[in-house]
Amino acid sequence: MELLKQRILKDGKIKEGNILKVDSFLNHQMDIELMQEIGKEFRRLFPDKRINKILTIEASGIGIAAIAAQYFDKAKVVFAKKTQSKNLDGELYTAPVVSFTRGAHFDVQVSTKFLGKDDCVLVIDDFLARGQALKGLMKIVEQSGAELAGCGIVIEKGFQEGGKELRQAGVNLHSLAIIDSIENGEITFRTDD
Ligand code: 5GP
């Protein structure tokens, strides 16, 4: 998605450990016009009319999924929670995740009330690096008995193994921008996406 790639080059900031900061337009301050274009692109890539739920993970996935949902016949957005909270009661689907950015282990949790065997789910997240977050969300879809329509990612770091592994496993995965390398402060995108 050219608009997104240009925005990453213009406003993305590279941090230690190959972390790309996109907090001026995606995951702190949010550029809604850009996010609407992201939502439309996800719809184009995932035209399956049966998609009725978009599953993501708090916090950064929520805004992206909420805007994308408007292009999916008003699909409901469900976000997995990372922390045990008193608001999270009843039966839960749970999957372990290791955070790439924080290095910590945590469980992602979704109430069984909001995902079940009659649902067709698109999983969305902001970044794909080693694939931990996506694998956790896919485990939750599997536990629920719902159908997985695919996984949509805004920015994939193609030099980390997650995307390759998931595609090899047959996951219907689309990333709107795939970064092939970050070297000497310079971002190179994959051109065949
Ligand atoms: P993974 O689980 O695929 O290793 O990492 C994906 C998760 O880690 C995403 O949910 C995202 O929040 C975070 N993440 C991974 N790499 C980056 C990065 O370069 N920048 C930012 N902002 N978040 C990242």
Side-chain angles (χ1 to χ4, degrees):
M1 184 182 165
E2 198 50 39
L3 186 68
L4 172 66
K5 290 180 186 172
Q6 291 307 325
R7 192 61 180 271
I8 294 168
L9 292 178
K10 183 169 158 274
D11 290 330
K13 301 267 178 290
I14 298 152
K15 298 282 158 188
E16 211 177 307
N18 281 343
I19 298 284
L20 175 65
K21 273 191 94 164
V22 289
D23 58 355
S24 66
F25 60 95
L26 193 68
N27 57 20
H28 194 9
Q29 172 171 264
M30 298 188 285
D31 179 335
I32 302 303
E33 270 182 40
L34 175 67
M35 289 168 80
Q36 285 169 331
E37 294 308 313
I38 287 171
K40 288 179 201 167
E41 186 64 3
F42 279 140
R43 172 83 272 190
R44 190 184 71 78
L45 293 165
F46 299 99
D48 192 333
K49 290 273 180 230
R50 295 169 308 151
I51 295 170
N52 69 328
K53 295 270 165 87
I54 297 183
L55 176 66
T56 189
I57 182 165
E58 65 178 356
S60 303
I62 299 174
I64 299 163
I67 289 177
Q70 297 177 81
Y71 304 98
F72 283 81
D73 307 314
K74 302 200 175 67
K76 295 270 190 297
V77 173
V78 180
F79 64 90
K81 301 205 178 201
K82 288 178 180 170
T83 46
Q84 189 68 54
S85 118
K86 287 199 178 116
N87 286 327
L88 204 52
D89 53 5
E91 282 188 45
L92 301 168
Y93 306 119
T94 299
V97 167
V98 183
S99 159
F100 176 75
T101 38
R102 277 172 285 171
H105 290 245
F106 58 91
D107 283 335
V108 285
Q109 298 183 311
V110 170
S111 166
T112 58
K113 285 185 286 203
F114 303 127
L115 219 51
K117 60 176 179 31
D118 296 330
D119 291 321
C120 182
V121 183
L122 173 64
V123 174
I124 277 183
D125 202 8
D126 58 345
F127 276 89
L128 172 60
R130 287 185 291 203
Q132 280 284 320
L134 219 47
K135 284 180 193 162
L137 293 172
M138 286 167 56
K139 273 185 201 141
I140 282 181
V141 176
E142 198 183 320
Q143 286 169 37
S144 75
E147 187 178 339
L148 179 69
C151 298
I153 294 292
V154 181
I155 304 169
E156 175 178 337
K157 298 199 292 186
F159 53 90
Q160 292 183 272
E161 68 275 17
K164 191 171 171 213
E165 268 178 35
L166 290 162
R167 288 187 184 90
Q168 275 173 358
V171 176
N172 179 23
L173 169 67
H174 291 289
S175 301
L176 306 188
I178 303 182
I179 295 174
D180 253 347
S181 66
I182 302 179
E183 269 163 32
N184 304 323
E186 202 172 310
I187 295 172
T188 309
F189 292 104
R190 192 167 301 174
T191 48
D192 60 348
D193 57 321

